[in-house]
Amino acid sequence: MIGVALFWGALGVVGYATGWQSHKRQAQDLLLSGERSVMQQAATQHRSTPCLVTDPQAGQLSGILKIPALHLTAPVEEGTDDAELDVAVGHFATSVWPGQSGTSVFLAHDVSYFVHLDQLKPGDTIVYTTACNSVTYTVQGQQVVQEGDPVANSTGPTMVLDTCYPPNALFFTTKRLLVTATEATVPDGGQSPGATGTGATRLAVPAEDQVSYSVPAPPALLAEGLTLEQNEAPMGTMTLAGQTSPTWQQSPGPLALEAAALEAYFGGLHATARTRADWWSAIADPSVPPPPALMGAAVTGHDAPLDVEIDSTDGSVTQVVLRTTVTLSGGSAPGTYAETVTTSVQGSTVRIGGWTLTPS
């Protein structure tokens, strides 16, 4: 009976490991195919333009990890929860990305991608590749630590691969294997070639599509607090009208532009509430006067969600239109108004381009 129990137990162990490896291979093939397609697309579209990368969200593909000595090519996803580690190598979200100063931390199950991690030796290479760049690391060594022990951050670009110890353990283990590697070559400036962003994403964004927007508000007006976090307004929907670059649409650009348009909007409200014509002139186009009903008035309620529309012509953003309903108190004409605010976009500068109030 003991022999039979051992026999079936051994079959269970083998089946568990085999199941993990089969699941890994299926996910590996699918995810690698998708990531390589994105890389090929980026290489084709942006041969003549600088390439930037942006932070991925949890569960999003971010790159490919290659360890030639282990014959390993693994997809990498942001995050280290089961949803990520069941199909990919996970990037620890609070650590830096390869190519930056600091320690990049990657985790994988010991019965999955990192099953042979203990076989790495000093001098072996690890390559992390995105749609924009490739960073090579050289293994320095390995150590075994207790579960929960912190991973020290470094001043230079380093990488730590983390898995359960011993690898291929089919039981609960309280120890972790850490493999440490340092970037092979670091040019002046402390970043790898092409590592111009803070992370990697499934879609590379050319430099001309990465625009930061600002409102020319004077310091005294900025001190009033012009962000959405500092002003109450229920947000509605954001729509993109006209033709814009697909990469810009999927970049941080639209949200950055929306934030700047909101700063111009709240700046206009603060300027008129304080009857500061100089503040208004600084953030509005020269031909746009402040609405008389706003002068000396306060918005005591946004009675409808604040909808944002970004308009484009011939691929370039021209204006942002904000629509809502407000209740004004004080001033020359208190009451409830349907409000439409247009902000003009000239390059990276956003100003008030129009402001209408219609009694409702």
Side-chain angles (χ1 to χ4, degrees):
M1 292 179 64
I2 294 175
V4 170
L6 291 174
F7 173 76
W8 285 108
L11 286 181
V13 167
V14 172
Y16 178 80
T18 302
W20 260 109
Q21 289 297 316
S22 176
H23 176 70
K24 182 208 75 172
R25 283 192 294 271
Q26 293 176 15
Q28 182 180 26
D29 292 343
L30 180 63
L31 294 178
L32 286 177
S33 176
E35 186 67 6
R36 284 167 174 158
S37 176
V38 169
M39 292 180 178
Q40 184 177 8
Q41 177 185 359
T44 301
Q45 293 181 349
H46 311 306
R47 286 172 180 165
S48 60
T49 61
C51 188
L52 301 179
V53 287
T54 55
D55 285 319
Q57 302 298 310
Q60 185 179 12
L61 278 168
S62 61
I64 295 175
L65 187 74
K66 296 181 180 180
I67 307 179
L70 303 183
H71 306 287
L72 174 67
T73 300
V76 175
E77 290 189 355
E78 173 71 307
T80 55
D81 291 334
D82 288 341
E84 290 82 46
L85 297 188
D86 283 350
V87 295
V89 172
H91 171 256
F92 193 66
T94 59
S95 70
V96 301
W97 286 96
Q100 296 182 305
S101 295
T103 302
S104 307
V105 182
F106 295 90
L107 289 78
H109 287 309
D110 63 300
V111 291
S112 181
Y113 293 102
F114 285 175
V115 63
H116 300 303
L117 196 64
D118 61 335
Q119 297 178 15
L120 283 179
K121 304 182 297 297
D124 289 339
T125 60
I126 303 170
V127 182
Y128 179 76
T129 304
T130 73
C132 289
N133 67 308
S134 183
V135 188
T136 300
Y137 290 80
T138 302
V139 173
Q140 300 300 309
Q142 55 180 260
Q143 61 177 324
V144 177
V145 300
Q146 291 296 317
E147 178 188 17
D149 283 358
V151 175
N153 197 20
S154 62
T155 56
T158 62
M159 177 184 289
V160 169
L161 305 182
D162 185 339
T163 194
C164 295
Y165 183 84
N168 210 17
L170 302 179
F171 53 86
F172 177 76
T173 172
T174 60
K175 294 185 178 182
R176 299 292 180 263
L177 173 66
L178 304 181
V179 172
T180 303
T182 58
E183 189 172 342
T185 57
V186 183
D188 293 340
Q191 286 192 327
S192 301
T196 52
T198 56
T201 184
R202 295 180 63 183
L203 182 62
V205 182
E208 68 269 20
D209 288 332
Q210 285 279 354
V211 180
S212 59
Y213 301 92
S214 62
V215 179
L221 178 55
L222 286 173
E224 295 277 309
L226 306 184
T227 66
L228 183 61
E229 290 77 10
Q230 298 163 313
N231 297 269
E232 292 186 7
M235 295 304 297
T237 60
M238 180 175 69
T239 58
L240 302 179
Q243 297 295 322
T244 57
S245 164
T247 52
W248 183 83
Q249 293 177 19
Q250 299 181 59
S251 79
L255 290 178
L257 180 54
E258 179 189 53
L262 289 172
E263 285 191 26
Y265 171 66
F266 292 126
L269 294 181
H270 284 278
T272 53
R274 297 291 193 92
T275 63
R276 291 292 299 265
D278 57 330
W279 287 358
W280 178 273
S281 298
I283 63 173
D285 289 338
S287 61
V288 180
L294 278 182
M295 297 302 291
V299 174
T300 56
H302 282 84
D303 305 318
L306 183 60
D307 292 326
V308 179
E309 177 186 299
I310 297 177
D311 296 334
S312 304
T313 302
D314 297 328
S316 298
V317 176
T318 55
Q319 64 180 18
V320 181
V321 182
L322 302 94
R323 297 182 178 90
T324 186
T325 301
V326 296
T327 296
L328 301 182
S329 297
S332 61
T336 301
Y337 295 85
E339 181 179 61
T340 300
V341 178
T342 302
T343 63
S344 62
V345 182
Q346 298 291 332
S348 62
T349 302
V350 178
R351 288 186 171 88
I352 297 171
W355 200 307
T356 60
L357 294 170
T358 303
S360 59

